[in-house]
Structures are given as C-alpha cells and as structure tokens.
Amino acid sequence: MAQPDNKKFFENLSGAGKAIAVLTSGGDAQGMNAAVRAVVRMGIYVGAKVYFIHEGYQGMVDGGDNIKEAKWESVSSMLQVGGTVIGSARCKEFRTREGRLKAAHNLVQRGITNLCVIGGDGSLTGANLFREEWSGLLEELVQQGLINEEAAQTYSALHIVGMVGSIDNDFCGTDMTIGTDSALHRIIEVVDAIMTTAQSHQRTFVLEVMGRHCGYLALVSALACGADWVLIPEMPPEVGWEDQMCQKLSENRAGKKRLNIIIVAEGAIDSNNKPITTDCIKDLVVRSLGFDTRVTILGHVQRGGTPSAFDRILASRMGVEAVLALLEASVDTPACVVSLCGNQAVRLPLMECVQMTQEVQKAMDEKKFEDAVRLRGRSFENNLNTYKLLAHRKPDSELPNDGAPYGSSFNVAVMNVGAPAAGMNAAVRSAVRVGISEGHKMFAVNDGFEGFYKGQIKEIKWGDVGGWTGQGGSILGTKRTLPAKYMDKIAEQMRIHNINALLVIGGFEAYLGIMELLAARGTYDEFCVPMVMVPATVSNNIPGSDLSIGADTALNAITDTCDRIKQSASGTKRRVFIIETMGGYCGYLASVGGLAAGADAAYIFEEPFDIRDLQSNVEHLTEKMKTSIQRGLVLRNENCNENYTTDFIYQLYSEEGRGVFDCRKNVLGHMQQGGAPSPFDRNFGTKISAKAMQWISKKLKESYRQGRVFANSEDSACLLGMRRRALVFQPVMQLKEETDFVHRIPKEQWWLKLRPLMKILAKYKTSYDVSDSGQLEHVVRNRTKELDAAI
C-alpha cells in the first residue's frame, strides 16, 4: 500500500520535545486499554515522549515507578484485554492540595505538561481543578525549593484532554462512552441465555443492571431484548405503576407469551424518590399474579470480558483525537473532552459537560424528571420514546385513523430484500408495532420481491413479532430477486391487498429494487405510493448511509474470530495470519475490522495496491517480527483484487517471510452473516425502522386525496440513512449520482478516513488528514418544550 509523504502532517503537528502522560481513573471499563494503546502509539508516532501513570491519581501522587515511559511494544497485545492494564484507583489524597502538590512535582520532574485522563466525570473534574491550580502549585514548589524558577517557566502550562471511560454512559455531551457497548453485550448475552430457561418454565425474570444514577444500560437493553417493563432513575413510573405492570405481564402471558422480562437499573426510584428494588418487584409479581419469578443481579459481570468492536474503534479514534487535541492546545485552550456525536469525533469543553451531567442529578433530586431526560441528550430521549412506543400497545379505541381511507386504516407492507443481516428482525418488529400504533394495518411479505409476486403476503399482528429482536437472519425470509421482470404480478398483488405504502429493509438489491419500482410508476399507478428503504447489509455498502443494520454484528464476528486466531499462536513461533472478509467490493469490514482487531494491513478494492505494496508490507512485518511482535494479522476484502487472491497473498507472505515467520490463512465466510444481532444492531434497527414508519404515516396523510393514496413525487421514495450526526431521508433518485453501480458501492465512503489510523497504530509512516478531526464546540442542550412549541 502506498505510503504518502507525511511532511505536511509533521510541519503542522509535531510532538517533538513534548511529554504526554496517560492515566485511567475511577471505575474500569472495557476499551480503556484500546484508548491507552492509541494514545501511546499516536504520541510516539508524532515524536512525543509518552508516559504511563499506573494506578490513576494515586500513582501520580506517589510517583516513583508508578510513572514510567511507554514504548511502542509496551501496548502490544492489549487491544482485546478488558479492564485497564495500567491500573485504576480512587485517590483521597489527590482531593487535597497537598496531594496535588506532590503530583505536580512528580510531573515536572519528568517534564510532563500534557495529560490524557480516561475516566468518569469525577476523574475529569479533578483533572480540571489540577489544571486551574497548576501555576499556583508550581509557585509553591519553587518556594519550597523543590524546583527552580527555570523549570517553573518551562512547564508553566498544563494541558488536559479527557476521554470518558464509563459503562453507565452517564456523561453528557457524548452519544457513547468507552465501555458502554461492551457492557450492553454482557447484559444481552445474559438476557438471551435467561430467555431460553424462562421460556421452558414459563417464568418471570427480574434483572438488575448497573446504573446508580443513569438508566442508559437498563433502557437500551430493554429496547434490545423487548423487555416487558423497565425501571430507570430518570423517569420513575407514575403512581399506580404496580397495577399497570401486573396487568401488562398478565396480558402478555394470556397472549401465549411464555416468559416475562423486567429490567431494573440499580438506581431505579419511584415518583417519591424511594428506591425500587428487584426483591420488591419479585414480591409484587408473586403476590399479585402468582407467577414463578426469579431475580438475577448482573453486578460486575457487566464490567468484565473483552471489549466489543465498537468500543475498540471508539477508543482508538478517541485516543488519536486526544493526542491531536493536546498537540494543538495553547495556554488559552480550555480543558476539553473528546466525544462522539453520530459517527463524528467532537471536542467539547470539559467543564460544560461536567456541569450538564451534574444538572441531570439536580433535576432528578428536584423531581424534574422530564428535564433530566432532556438533559441526558437526544439519544437517550429517542431511546425512551421508542421503548414506550414498542413495549405498550394502545387499546384499539386510542389508535389514530384520521385521514385513512373509508374511515379504516392504511395498509402498509414490510419486506426484507437481499442477503440476510443480523438486526433485520428487530427492524421488522419495530416497523410492525409502530405501524399498528399509528393506526395502520401491517402486512408481511415473505421472501422479498420473489414472495411479493407469488402472493406470499399476510397481515401481521402486534403479538406475531414478540421475541424477534434477538433472532438472527431474516424470519420473513429474504431473496436477492429484483422486481423488474415481475412488475405485472407485483402490481396485481399491491392491488389485491390494497397496499398503500412499502417499507423495504435490505441491502443493495433493496436499493436497486426501489429504483425499479420508481421507474415503473409511469406504467403502474399501484407503485405511486410512499416507499422507504432502511439499509440492512453486513457489507455496509449502501449510498446515503454511513451505517447499515448488520454491519456491527459482522464486525464483532470478525473481531472475535481474529482474537481467537491470534491466541491460537500464543506460545508458538512467530506467525502471520491472512484472513479474508466479506463485503463484495466494499472494504468496510476489512478496514474497520482491521482497526478493531489490531491488523498490520488490510487490502481493499477502494485503495488500489500492487506487488510493490505487498512486498513493502512483508518487509515491514518481517522487521517488526525480528524486534518485538510474535503474531501478525493481515485482512483481505474478498474482491479487493482479482489477481492478488487470498491464496496468492498467503503464498507470497509464506515465501518472503521464510525463516522469520510462518503463515496461516482463514476465510471467514458466512459466519459474518450469522449469529444473534449485537445490541447496537438491535437498537439501531429498532430506532431507524420506527422513524421510517413515522415518515410513512406522514406521507400517507399528505398523499391521500379523493379516496385514494397517490404519491409520485421524487421525495415520496426515500432511503433513510445515518449521515454523520443524524438520520436523514434522501430521495432515492438523488442518490444515483453518489453510486458506483458496477461495483455496488458509494463513490465516497466516510470510513476511508479511518484507514490511516490503522496504519499509524501498526507502525507505518503515513499521512493523516487532520482536516476532519474534531473542533472545539459547545455542548448543545435539548430545547425545552416551550421553545419547541414556539418554533
């Protein structure tokens, strides 16, 4: 792979002569090691000295061997390790000025004036106080004769950048904190396992998850597993909730549902701020309903295990961004925290985020619970609203039917098209339940467009989709068949079933299929209805969307397999693994999977390579093998090059590495499409589908005229995709210009900007485009209801 000139990068952002220290503080979280690794390697890459501070602030106060210079090899083989290998401890001494004075002395002795702190709001608040006191602390050290005036002048400014490591996701200003996704993986693994035993015995399970002050884990896991009831501190249940919950459980059991799941955050409270415990709920269910009920408290299981692919990528991106922020910091730059908004890295003033986080707790203490939800941010509020919409069915008398034909409901069809992707079933469940809540009659089409023209269409009810969120593949069935040859028959089926709108969940074939239906509108009025596509494919190759349902599950499958493959070589001689991933011509899985697994190279179609690049990569790995690492990892996208096949690359590496390392190859194949969907895919599929159905409802009302639905404008057939920071509806016809139809990929792909990160972290010299790095922004607060109404 070509290695572009990197002069521009070093001219603008050189770390020469600077010293950066990294520490982890407070509770541990999966992904902290990935963040530490990224800080160390990016720091060394730009020429800075990087130090570990072991045992958090305690190590900073104690000094000595707790503060050690880090080498490139120091962070090898830690990407997949949970917790934090440099240790974390809560430090009472650092809370005193005497403790901070000792810490300042230890840093100045080593010339450290750049601090990267990975922890929660308490740790970050402490870091900001340390920064504010820095000049005063140095003056005191000079007065005590511990440092001279020259040292005080040289190290006069302390720069702080924070990364939030917390499984609770309780820090305002970021969509996800490091460790949250991995904690959700642990919770969902347990819930999925419990569901099988609960179903066998017709039991009710009450699960307690972490979240003393924040209900994010409880809420998202409830959304991801379709729990019957959830209790969180930000939104206590209304008075009389006990009877409502028991009624809901009873109705579900009467509807032939063999199990009930209730999820409780450990900090759950009622409207009087009194704790709601799992034992209270168990006693209530047994006393009121007589159901066989069990309690499971997950505890520290949620903190353990290997980090998920999402957390590794998030932490790696944040670590690199933190180093860039430190290099760009000036005396006037406020302490900032590196955050995630959508899929964009952003920098926010640390104390603005801390203050808003504290405001949430204040709102809860004052029983202003709606304010607390709003202050948590849009993501939290959307999760809560979506859960309410899907978990509790409205009585028929409350369902809307205004504007529907003949006073009845609209008929909306939902279908899967293309290859199966984990999360499709969660998306279908969400669409069906939101559609019914909106007053529509929902129809399921089996086997994609092939089933459509064959008439495999039937009405689907609320209870029919119960338990679908955790199911992999496509329960409706999905085929790659395109509709062009069967327009007559499909139009006839639309007429027979009076289909007024169409929701298509699928991959590139779904995208092409919608285009073909659009092209046939001039011939068939039946296709003049609102249509929306939701992207679902492991390849993540749909124009108009940065992410697709199923891609995260596939990434986790790749990452887990790479971890196992690398572990298989532990204790043996030096070995390189060549691994082939899926994706067609799209290199997303190979590139982002490579970043998550710590690959040395990833070959993709979008970045052409030749024999010289292959030779350069082999030489690079050979050099690394001689000096440090024992295992190498090379990923190859299945269609990256028709001549440089997986076999060819395997044979080349085997021959050129002879005497230094041996090689093994592995084709991952369809295991990337299988398995239970990840929490991210369940949640993403649920929310994006709910939004798609709400758009359909709006379009149906707009296009209903003179007794029928007629929609033939360009914006009546859209793709709903994630674009940078938001979900956006885009007319399918407008996406034509953005599409490479020959290779079935978008012409521009955001994740290509992540490839230099993988190369830098693998010790390649490369250019890194800093134009897309996060800029310092202010925290955006959700608007109040009054302001929303005014707008």
Side-chain angles (χ1 to χ4, degrees):
M1 279 175 239
Q3 297 172 8
D5 181 21
N6 60 333
K7 278 184 183 175
K8 183 181 177 185
F9 179 77
F10 278 112
E11 280 171 12
N12 292 317
L13 289 172
S14 173
K18 294 191 175 182
I20 299 170
V22 58
L23 66 101
T24 54
S25 176
D28 67 309
Q30 308 97 320
M32 278 184 166
N33 289 326
V36 170
R37 171 181 177 267
V39 170
V40 169
R41 292 196 166 176
M42 188 64 177
I44 292 171
Y45 179 82
V46 298
K49 268 190 172 183
V50 186
Y51 291 85
F52 290 136
I53 299 178
H54 292 272
E55 310 307 333
Y57 287 118
Q58 190 66 56
M60 197 193 295
V61 172
D62 294 343
D65 287 342
N66 287 306
I67 305 175
K68 288 183 180 176
E69 188 176 349
K71 303 295 183 188
W72 189 276
E73 294 75 27
S74 307
V75 292
S76 295
S77 303
M78 67 189 283
L79 186 63
Q80 69 273 21
V81 179
T84 165
V85 297
I86 60 173
S88 179
R90 303 187 191 277
C91 178
K92 288 182 180 178
E93 201 173 349
F94 190 77
R95 294 178 184 177
T96 67
R97 187 172 174 86
E98 291 75 20
R100 293 192 289 276
L101 192 68
K102 287 182 189 176
H105 185 220
N106 288 327
L107 294 186
V108 171
Q109 281 182 314
R110 295 162 178 81
I112 298 168
T113 56
N114 297 282
L115 209 52
C116 182
V117 180
I118 308 167
D121 63 328
S123 305
L124 300 180
T125 304
N128 189 65
L129 176 63
F130 191 41
R131 174 182 168 276
E132 288 174 348
E133 290 182 349
W134 183 255
S135 57
L137 293 170
L138 294 195
E139 281 177 24
E140 211 169 314
L141 290 171
V142 171
Q143 289 166 11
Q144 293 179 13
L146 294 171
I147 64 171
N148 57 33
E149 286 283 358
E150 187 184 349
Q153 287 294 321
T154 306
Y155 308 119
S156 60
L158 179 68
H159 304 299
I160 302 280
V161 171
M163 284 185 275
V164 191
S166 165
I167 68 166
D168 291 337
N169 203 29
D170 57 353
F171 194 79
C172 293
T174 184
D175 287 352
M176 287 285 265
T177 56
I178 295 167
T180 303
D181 188 68
S182 302
L184 285 170
H185 273 259
R186 300 296 93 78
I187 294 167
I188 293 304
E189 284 162 13
V190 171
V191 173
D192 285 352
I194 278 175
M195 277 181 160
T196 55
T197 181
Q199 209 152 17
S200 302
H201 297 278
Q202 294 195 56
R203 281 185 177 143
T204 296
F205 268 87
V206 185
L207 275 78
E208 181 184 286
V209 301
M210 282 186 166
R212 217 178 0 250
H213 304 294
C214 179
Y216 185 88
L217 289 178
L219 179 57
V220 174
S221 53
L223 201 55
C225 72
D228 298 275
W229 204 266
V230 65
L231 293 154
I232 59 174
E234 292 87 347
M235 188 54 73
E238 298 169 358
V239 175
W241 65 273
E242 297 92 341
D243 293 337
Q244 291 174 14
M245 184 185 78
C246 289
Q247 185 183 346
K248 170 83 189 306
L249 299 180
S250 183
E251 285 171 2
N252 285 349
R253 197 61 69 89
K256 297 184 180 176
K257 187 176 179 183
R258 292 179 60 85
L259 75 154
N260 302 112
I261 300 286
I262 301 164
I263 295 183
V264 188
E266 62 178 326
I269 51 175
D270 63 17
S271 53
N272 295 313
N273 279 3
K274 289 181 180 175
I276 299 175
T277 66
T278 48
D279 286 333
C280 280
I281 294 169
K282 177 189 173 181
D283 294 343
L284 171 67
V285 173
V286 171
R287 186 174 64 251
S288 302
L289 300 172
F291 289 174
D292 187 3
T293 306
R294 298 285 190 273
V295 169
T296 300
I297 297 173
L298 270 63
H300 283 75
V301 164
Q302 296 157 86
R303 286 194 188 279
T306 59
S308 66
F310 182 97
D311 272 330
R312 298 184 198 195
I313 296 157
L314 172 66
S316 298
R317 289 179 70 186
M318 298 301 100
V320 168
E321 189 68 36
V323 173
L324 294 178
L326 287 171
L327 294 182
E328 292 170 3
S330 66
V331 178
D332 302 321
T333 308
C336 76
V337 62
V338 180
S339 298
L340 182 76
C341 185
N343 67 3
Q344 292 297 116
V346 295
R347 299 176 197 169
L348 300 168
L350 191 152
M351 289 316 294
E352 281 188 25
C353 296
V354 169
Q355 282 160 11
M356 188 181 286
T357 304
Q358 290 168 350
E359 281 180 36
V360 177
Q361 189 58 50
K362 185 183 173 190
M364 287 196 285
D365 291 341
E366 294 173 356
K367 300 185 182 181
K368 296 177 180 176
F369 297 111
E370 287 190 9
D371 288 349
V373 169
R374 195 176 62 252
L375 287 165
R376 280 274 179 238
R378 288 259 163 86
S379 176
F380 188 93
E381 199 169 13
N382 289 342
N383 284 326
L384 183 58
N385 291 337
T386 306
Y387 177 78
K388 286 177 179 176
L389 203 58
L390 299 177
H392 309 298
R393 188 183 178 184
K394 295 177 187 173
D396 290 343
S397 58
E398 291 180 25
L399 295 178
N401 65 2
D402 54 308
Y406 318 115
S408 63
S409 57
F410 288 110
N411 292 350
V412 180
V414 58
M415 63 196 295
N416 295 152
V417 175
M424 275 182 164
N425 297 321
V428 171
R429 169 186 175 269
S430 174
V432 168
R433 292 197 168 179
V434 173
I436 291 169
S437 295
E438 298 271 317
H440 308 314
K441 191 180 280 189
M442 299 300 297
F443 287 83
V445 181
N446 296 109
D447 296 337
F449 287 114
E450 189 174 310
F452 210 149
Y453 84 78
K454 289 179 178 176
Q456 295 172 9
I457 304 165
K458 61 178 181 181
E459 188 180 351
I460 187 163
K461 305 277 190 178
W462 183 281
D464 296 337
V465 291
W468 280 31
T469 48
Q471 301 287 324
S474 168
I475 294 172
L476 289 184
T478 180
K479 296 278 180 76
R480 295 178 183 270
T481 310
L482 292 173
K485 294 180 183 175
Y486 312 104
M487 288 299 183
D488 281 345
K489 292 178 179 177
I490 292 173
E492 185 184 350
Q493 291 299 329
M494 297 259 306
R495 200 162 48 246
I496 290 169
H497 295 279
N498 189 28
I499 302 299
N500 305 121
L502 196 57
L503 171 60
V504 183
I505 301 164
F508 207 85
E509 288 83 4
Y511 176 63
L512 295 175
I514 291 264
M515 283 189 167
E516 289 179 5
L517 294 179
L518 267 176
R521 274 181 169 179
T523 311
Y524 303 97
D525 279 357
E526 288 81 3
F527 301 140
C528 294
V529 296
M531 301 179 195
V532 64
M533 178 193 161
V534 167
T537 167
V538 299
S539 302
N540 196 32
N541 63 332
I542 307 299
S545 189
D546 294 346
L547 295 171
S548 297
I549 298 165
D552 183 71
T553 305
L555 277 178
N556 278 289
I558 292 167
T559 306
D560 291 347
T561 307
C562 287
D563 287 351
R564 293 183 185 195
I565 286 171
K566 284 199 291 185
Q567 193 178 42
S568 73
S570 62
T572 65
K573 59 183 179 178
R574 298 184 179 101
R575 182 164 287 169
V576 173
F577 295 95
I578 314 295
I579 295 175
E580 181 182 298
T581 66
M582 293 175 93
Y585 287 96
C586 181
Y588 175 82
L589 290 180
S591 296
V592 183
L595 182 59
D600 295 278
Y603 300 113
I604 62 169
F605 170 78
E606 292 90 344
E607 197 173 277
F609 59 97
D610 57 26
I611 194 69
R612 290 181 294 276
D613 298 317
L614 290 168
Q615 183 64 33
S616 170
N617 294 149
V618 174
E619 289 169 0
H620 181 81
L621 253 177
T622 304
E623 197 59 37
K624 282 170 72 176
M625 287 283 185
K626 285 177 181 175
T627 57
S628 55
I629 67 164
Q630 299 294 308
R631 288 158 286 176
L633 190 65
V634 175
L635 270 61
R636 177 190 178 274
N637 166 246
E638 58 184 347
N639 287 345
C640 66
N641 189 295
E642 62 181 339
N643 296 313
Y644 300 135
T645 61
T646 303
D647 284 335
F648 177 90
I649 292 173
Y650 163 68
Q651 288 165 4
L652 176 73
Y653 272 73
S654 297
E655 182 60 33
E656 296 298 318
R658 193 186 298 277
V660 180
F661 59 81
D662 65 2
C663 262
R664 296 288 185 272
K665 65 176 176 178
N666 197 301
V667 178
L668 300 186
H670 283 76
M671 66 173 293
Q672 295 160 86
Q673 279 185 341
S678 67
F680 181 92
D681 276 331
R682 298 183 196 199
N683 193 17
F684 183 53
T686 298
K687 288 202 288 190
I688 196 171
S689 239
K691 194 173 179 77
M693 277 307 305
Q694 288 166 336
W695 177 88
I696 282 176
S697 294
K698 178 171 165 276
K699 285 291 174 187
L700 282 169
K701 287 174 185 175
E702 288 175 4
S703 57
Y704 182 62
R705 298 286 181 276
Q706 298 174 345
R708 72 175 187 134
V709 172
F710 187 83
N712 66 349
S713 59
E714 206 174 64
D715 68 350
S716 65
C718 284
L719 180 142
L720 175 55
M722 166 70 82
R723 278 285 173 103
R724 293 173 75 89
R725 301 189 187 185
L727 289 172
V728 183
F729 289 95
Q730 304 140 97
V732 172
M733 296 310 287
Q734 290 179 14
L735 294 173
K736 266 188 170 182
E737 296 299 315
E738 299 179 22
T739 309
D740 174 353
F741 285 98
V742 175
H743 300 105
R744 297 159 63 94
I745 55 174
K747 289 178 181 175
E748 289 187 15
Q749 301 186 83
W750 69 275
W751 51 264
L752 286 169
K753 291 180 179 177
L754 299 182
R755 282 184 62 79
L757 298 191
M758 184 191 72
K759 295 176 189 176
I760 288 167
L761 298 177
K763 214 174 183 177
Y764 282 92
K765 292 292 181 186
T766 184
S767 64
Y768 181 57
D769 177 13
V770 295
S771 60
D772 201 46
S773 65
Q775 302 302 312
L776 193 66
E777 302 176 10
H778 289 288
V779 179
V780 178
R781 293 167 182 267
N782 273 7
R783 296 191 296 254
T784 61
K785 282 186 174 180
E786 292 78 11
L787 184 56
D788 267 331
I791 289 169

